[in-house]
Amino acid sequence: MKLKQTLLAAAICAVAATPALAVELDKPNFYGNLNAGALKIEGKDAEAEAFELELGVQGKAAIDQGLNLNYAVEVDLAWAANSADDPTTGRDGEADVHVKEAKFWLPTRYGLFVAAPRGTSGQWVEIYGPINHYEYNVSRADPRPDGIFAQPDRTSGTFAYHTPWFMKTKLVFAAITLNDSNGKDADGRSVRLVHKGDNLGFAIGTTQLVQEQLPPFATDDYLITAAGLSYQLGGLALGAVWENNRNSPYPLDPQGKADFDSYGVSAQYITEGGAGIAVGYKEKDHDYSAADNSVYTLKLEQRITPQVKVWAETGQYDKPVVSPQGALVTDTNYAVGFNLTF
């Protein structure tokens, strides 16, 4: 609680010390990403599937002294659409409307300040982005896990600071406040170094979740360390990611082994005419060999207009991905669909 109180007090003092601020709200921009089609997972029936149904609004408030407070609010309706008539949920999709973005960011000459009650994970975007060329077989742990990597694509209760760019490089520090009743102000902490060159880029970072935030059987803090490498030349994009997990609470074998490494590589080529192909491979190497897995991925796409493309994709898994409760999450799959952005 002390961290939240300190930030709140600092914000109040800053406002009180700045006389006669004139705030001008720009007209917000509405946007969307609609991605849907057909999905067949081995062990499940083929069905129509919404992969993303994202609708959002973004804008800024222009403040005196050259400051602009930016905001974004975005929801993903895909889970609600997919489970609306699913008798196993018992909720008619009501609990499956996910807030993907609810964040504010303030660029200044001293760096970028971010407050995000809910937001896309910066670790996921800047480290894992180089291999995420896919529509369904995306490298993430939540909300649709691939069973290979542990990094979630979304976070809650995040305060972050980005240093100014220097020689195309920046540092990012973040505190994550997930639980207000476990005696810890920051339930998670992360730091990453990001470099974006003209063609070559890299990012490396660490996320620490404190033991008090983990299940009761956890014996230490959970540490995720990851590095990503990217290369871009014209329509060619190459990427590689390595992730190391220490003291992971899931999954545990009878001897309590919970450490693992995950790897991923991907290559994508898009022609000037909008045709594209992406191929990739991901692998988990777990201390508990029964938790090992791997997947080959392939995607073909064709852009029809700047806002519309059609695509076909497959992920060929070594074995099914199951949840800690034993439910099938995904397996070898085939998907076709369209993507509309506005």
Side-chain angles (χ1 to χ4, degrees):
M1 295 300 292
K2 292 180 181 178
L3 176 61
K4 296 179 182 178
Q5 293 170 354
T6 301
L7 290 169
L8 179 59
I12 294 173
C13 290
V15 172
T18 307
L21 285 179
V23 178
E24 180 180 349
L25 292 175
D26 287 1
K27 184 178 179 180
N29 296 317
F30 294 91
Y31 62 92
N33 174 34
L34 310 181
N35 197 357
L39 173 66
K40 168 60 179 175
I41 299 175
E42 286 194 5
K44 294 185 177 182
D45 296 339
E47 59 182 348
E49 184 83 3
F51 302 101
E52 286 96 17
L53 295 178
E54 300 166 344
L55 300 173
V57 57
Q58 180 175 322
K60 67 180 180 180
I63 306 173
D64 280 353
Q65 304 176 3
L67 294 177
N68 292 309
L69 179 62
N70 297 263
Y71 64 88
V73 178
E74 179 181 319
V75 296
D76 187 353
L77 307 176
W79 282 15
N82 292 330
S83 65
D85 296 320
D86 185 349
T88 64
T89 65
R91 299 189 301 268
D92 294 330
E94 293 178 359
D96 292 326
V97 176
H98 289 263
V99 177
K100 186 174 182 181
E101 303 285 354
K103 66 180 181 181
F104 302 86
W105 65 100
L106 182 67
T108 74
R109 69 179 68 181
Y110 307 106
L112 178 70
F113 299 86
V114 180
R118 186 67 168 164
T120 301
S121 165
Q123 302 285 86
W124 183 75
V125 171
E126 295 186 316
I127 297 177
Y128 299 78
I131 64 170
N132 279 333
H133 300 138
Y134 306 93
E135 311 294 335
Y136 177 76
N137 295 281
V138 180
S139 301
R140 62 187 175 197
D142 180 66
R144 190 173 57 230
D146 67 351
I148 306 294
F149 292 99
Q151 177 66 49
D153 74 324
R154 305 175 189 181
T155 61
S156 297
T158 302
F159 298 97
Y161 168 68
H162 301 230
T163 66
W165 287 94
F166 178 70
M167 298 183 64
K168 300 181 180 180
T169 304
K170 69 174 180 178
L171 274 169
V172 182
F173 305 90
I176 308 167
T177 59
L178 300 171
N179 190 328
D180 62 0
S181 59
N182 63 0
K184 293 289 184 178
D185 288 334
D187 306 301
R189 306 175 184 90
S190 70
V191 60
R192 67 182 177 275
L193 174 71
V194 182
H195 174 78
K196 292 185 178 180
D198 294 336
N199 301 106
L200 184 66
F202 67 84
I204 183 169
T206 290
T207 299
Q208 178 192 38
L209 293 178
V210 299
Q211 180 182 346
E212 290 80 359
Q213 172 60 27
L214 303 175
F217 51 77
T219 59
D220 206 343
D221 295 347
Y222 177 25
L223 193 66
I224 304 174
T225 301
L229 183 68
S230 64
Y231 180 77
Q232 183 89 36
L233 181 63
L236 176 65
L238 306 176
V241 172
W242 162 76
E243 179 188 88
N244 174 263
N245 289 262
R246 287 293 173 263
N247 304 312
S248 169
Y250 301 110
L252 291 173
D253 77 335
Q255 286 75 43
K257 295 179 180 179
D259 296 343
F260 62 94
D261 291 280
S262 297
Y263 312 88
V265 293
S266 185
Q268 178 179 258
Y269 183 72
I270 305 292
T271 69
E272 292 183 358
I277 183 172
V279 293
Y281 175 75
K282 297 181 290 185
E283 179 180 347
K284 175 192 281 186
D285 181 14
H286 203 287
D287 286 354
Y288 179 39
S289 59
D292 291 349
N293 207 349
S294 63
V295 57
Y296 291 92
T297 50
L298 170 67
K299 184 182 77 167
L300 302 174
E301 66 176 69
Q302 175 64 58
R303 188 161 293 279
I304 307 302
T305 73
Q307 289 78 35
V308 179
K309 72 176 180 181
V310 293
W311 55 268
E313 180 177 309
T314 183
Q316 299 289 314
Y317 278 84
D318 178 53
K319 55 189 176 185
V321 178
V322 298
S323 70
Q325 293 75 30
L328 175 64
V329 176
T330 195
D331 197 352
T332 291
N333 59 79
Y334 305 88
V336 295
F338 69 90
N339 182 276
L340 169 65
T341 59
F342 58 88

